[in-house]
Each structure stands twice: as C-alpha cells, then as structure tokens.
Amino acid sequence: MSLTYADYLHLDDLLKLQIPRSDPPEHDEMIFIIVHQAYELWFKLQLHELEKIKEDFRVGDTYGAIATFKRVRTIMKVMVEQIDVIETLTPTSFNSFRDRLDTASGFQSYQFREFEFVLGYKRADVLRFFPPGSPGHDALLRRLHERSVVDAFYDFLKRHGVTIPQELRDRDVTLPSVPNETVEEGILRLYKTQPDLQILFELMTDFDEGIQEWRYRHIKLVERSIGNKRGTGGSLGIEFLKKSLFHPIFPDLWGIRHKL
Ligand code: HEM
C-alpha cells in the first residue's frame, strides 16, 4: 500500500495526545493543551535549525547562515503571534481548570531551556528543576557543556578577521555569554564594509528582538490571565519573568547600534 498523509505524519499518534484532565471536561482546556503542544513543536524545529546555524558558522557558510536566520526569525514571529490565540482564553475560563495543572508550568519546558542554552543564555541553576532521571535532564546537561551559537559566531567572526580575545576563546562554555568591546569593534568594521554580513547581523538582531517580544507578550499574557498570583511552577510569576525580559542573545550586535 502506498504511503498516506496520515502514515507519514503519524497522525493517529499525534491526535491522541491532547488529553484534557478536567472532569467534567472544560471546553477551554483543549486550546490550552494544543497551544502548548504547538509551541513545543516550534521549539523542536528551532533547536534543529540552530544546530544548522552553528555548523554554518563553523564552516564559514555566510549564505547558509543568512537563509537559516531568516527562517528562525520568521518562526519566532509566528511564535509571538500565537500568543493572540491563547489570549482568547479568559481568566475565568482558565481558572476553571488551572488547579488541574497542579505544579505543571511552562517553566519546566526543557526544550525552552535548551533553546536558551544553545543560544548561550546558560543558567546552570535551572538544572535543579530537571533532576537526574527526569525528562530533559540529559539533553540539558549536554547543551550546558556544548559550545553555543554565540561561541560558533566567534569562530565565524574570526574567519572575517575579527580579533576574538583569549578570554573568550578559552571561556568556560557553561557560563552565559557576555558582551565584549574588542568583538564589537570588529563587528562594526564588518557592518560598514560587508553588505552580506550586514544582512546577516540584521537578521540576527531581528531574531533576538523576536525572543524579547515573546517574553514581553508572555508576561502580558500571564498578567491578564492570573494577575500577580504565583505561577503553578512555584515562582513569583511576573517578577521572576521580568528578570530576563530584556536579556539580549547577541549583546555585541546591540552594543554597536549607536555607532552605525
Ligand atoms: C494562560 C496561559 C499562561 C499562563 C498563566 C502562564 C504562566 C506562567 C508563569 C506564572 C510562569 C512563571 C513560572 C511559574 O510557573 O512559576 C511561566 C513561565 C513560562 N511559561 Fe507560561 N504561562 C502561560 C502560557 C504559556 C505558553 C502558551 C507557553 C508556551 C510555551 C508558556 C511557556 C512558558 C515558559 C517557557 C516559561 C519559563 C520562562 C522563563 O523562565 O523565562 N507559557 N508561565
């Protein structure tokens, strides 16, 4: 028998995975589950594409990196827009099944933490929410010890004659990436002299801005859904989320804007 659409996509399995916990069923639990699952699929794709970007940087494939940054920034825009969908859920409706979530929270999305780690926003302390043996622990530990997209970006810049200071080349890759003036000087020179790299830097900035937009939209979503209640993940909710609101992934790209 020839391969069908349903077989190829394993639709039968996929469509069995939306299982509301409310009893009697609350109509709006379905949108909550599907939106979160859709995000997890986007995270999966983003991680896949970011691995390619690391490789593009490593081998110096500028056009490959441009094409893929265009893709991840476009996906990021969809991820930001998707907040509109979940915002159709009113606080009253959300409250009707919120206690069913028990301690479950997006805070425990290991793919989101992988996404942060692969982009160099490494916070080893989040591992305490993913103890050994729990889903995501091994993947997160591996990502923590791997070089990030920012480290691969340094390799790429070095090929283009940018001085990467020794302290960055020998840095402990389990720590978050940090801005650096020497790197910024090099990027500034490339920005002004190489139009292909200017396009790449702008796409990287778009993507970075997209992540910050997602954080902002998610905070507003939380605020309108639960106000200043604590999160189901046990954090202080909005106060906790605000800490990373303006965190840039590529601080050196933001650091040169006033000199352009
Ligand atoms: C009614 C909808 C939502 C509410 C009320 C909500 C609430 C919260 C709260 C309060 C936190 C802080 C951690 C904690 O739970 O204590 C949090 C974190 C988080 N949520 Fe949501 N959330 C919602 C929808 C979503 C959606 C659709 C996603 C998509 C993946 C998501 C992903 C995350 C992530 C990744 C974190 C960790 C963020 C970080 O550490 O910076 N949330 N959420």
Side-chain angles (χ1 to χ4, degrees):
M1 213 177 79
S2 55
L3 185 71
T4 66
Y5 174 83
D7 288 339
Y8 180 67
L9 295 173
H10 295 274
L11 275 192
D12 215 23
D13 293 330
L14 183 66
L15 299 177
K16 273 187 200 138
L17 299 174
Q18 297 67 43
I19 310 168
R21 296 176 73 98
S22 50
D23 183 20
E26 284 296 339
H27 176 85
D28 279 357
E29 194 176 353
M30 191 57 94
I31 185 179
F32 190 81
I33 292 175
I34 289 183
V35 167
H36 280 85
Q37 289 185 343
Y39 271 111
E40 289 297 332
L41 288 176
W42 288 129
F43 288 142
K44 185 167 181 172
L45 183 58
Q46 293 287 46
L47 290 169
H48 182 69
E49 300 297 343
L50 289 169
E51 282 304 320
K52 163 156 183 315
I53 286 175
K54 269 167 69 174
E55 184 60 12
D56 289 339
F57 278 157
R58 200 184 62 79
V59 301
D61 182 353
T62 305
Y63 291 107
I66 286 177
T68 311
F69 261 110
K70 189 165 176 218
R71 182 174 295 170
V72 291
R73 84 92 142 80
T74 308
I75 298 168
M76 209 56 237
K77 283 180 189 289
V78 171
M79 291 168 79
V80 172
E81 276 204 352
Q82 232 171 254
I83 299 254
D84 288 346
V85 179
I86 187 100
E87 275 185 347
T88 63
L89 187 69
T90 63
T92 332
S93 162
F94 179 48
N95 267 328
S96 66
F97 61 86
R98 187 174 187 237
D99 57 338
R100 301 285 157 185
L101 304 181
D102 197 3
T103 52
S105 160
F107 190 59
Q108 298 153 340
S109 163
Y110 54 83
Q111 287 202 111
F112 181 77
R113 297 298 171 212
E114 282 187 70
F115 183 61
E116 289 185 331
F117 279 13
V118 86
L119 289 167
Y121 188 16
K122 301 208 176 155
R123 291 179 285 177
D125 60 326
V126 305
L127 268 160
R128 70 180 191 278
F129 300 105
F130 304 89
S134 69
H137 172 85
D138 294 353
L140 267 176
L141 202 60
R142 177 172 57 77
R143 299 248 186 224
L144 181 68
H145 291 276
E146 264 174 16
R147 296 176 80 241
S148 68
V149 168
V150 174
D151 296 310
F153 184 44
Y154 293 151
D155 296 346
F156 179 80
L157 291 172
K158 193 157 166 271
R159 280 175 175 267
H160 289 275
V162 174
T163 307
I164 305 298
Q166 195 68 33
E167 76 259 25
L168 289 185
R169 278 184 275 144
D170 298 342
R171 70 179 212 94
D172 176 353
V173 296
T174 66
L175 297 177
S177 40
V178 287
N180 182 280
E181 266 182 37
T182 310
V183 173
E184 287 179 18
E185 276 166 29
I187 292 178
L188 188 60
R189 179 181 55 78
L190 295 176
Y191 216 108
K192 291 186 165 167
T193 55
Q194 282 203 229
D196 52 344
L197 297 187
Q198 187 181 114
I199 291 172
L200 173 66
F201 297 155
E202 284 298 306
L203 285 170
M204 291 171 73
T205 309
D206 279 354
F207 173 66
D208 198 344
E209 189 173 338
I211 297 172
Q212 293 173 50
E213 277 177 66
W214 185 85
R215 291 190 191 277
Y216 170 77
R217 289 294 312 272
H218 174 259
I219 289 182
K220 284 290 148 190
L221 162 69
V222 175
E223 197 177 351
R224 66 189 280 168
S225 307
I226 61 168
N228 57 10
K229 287 184 201 164
R230 292 178 83 96
T232 47
S235 82
L236 287 177
I238 289 167
E239 284 318 305
F240 163 80
L241 295 168
K242 275 186 185 164
K243 284 187 196 152
S244 47
L245 179 55
F246 292 116
H247 178 85
I249 294 300
F250 305 115
D252 295 326
L253 293 182
W254 295 95
I256 57 165
R257 311 294 302 185
H258 62 292
K259 296 185 186 159
L260 290 168

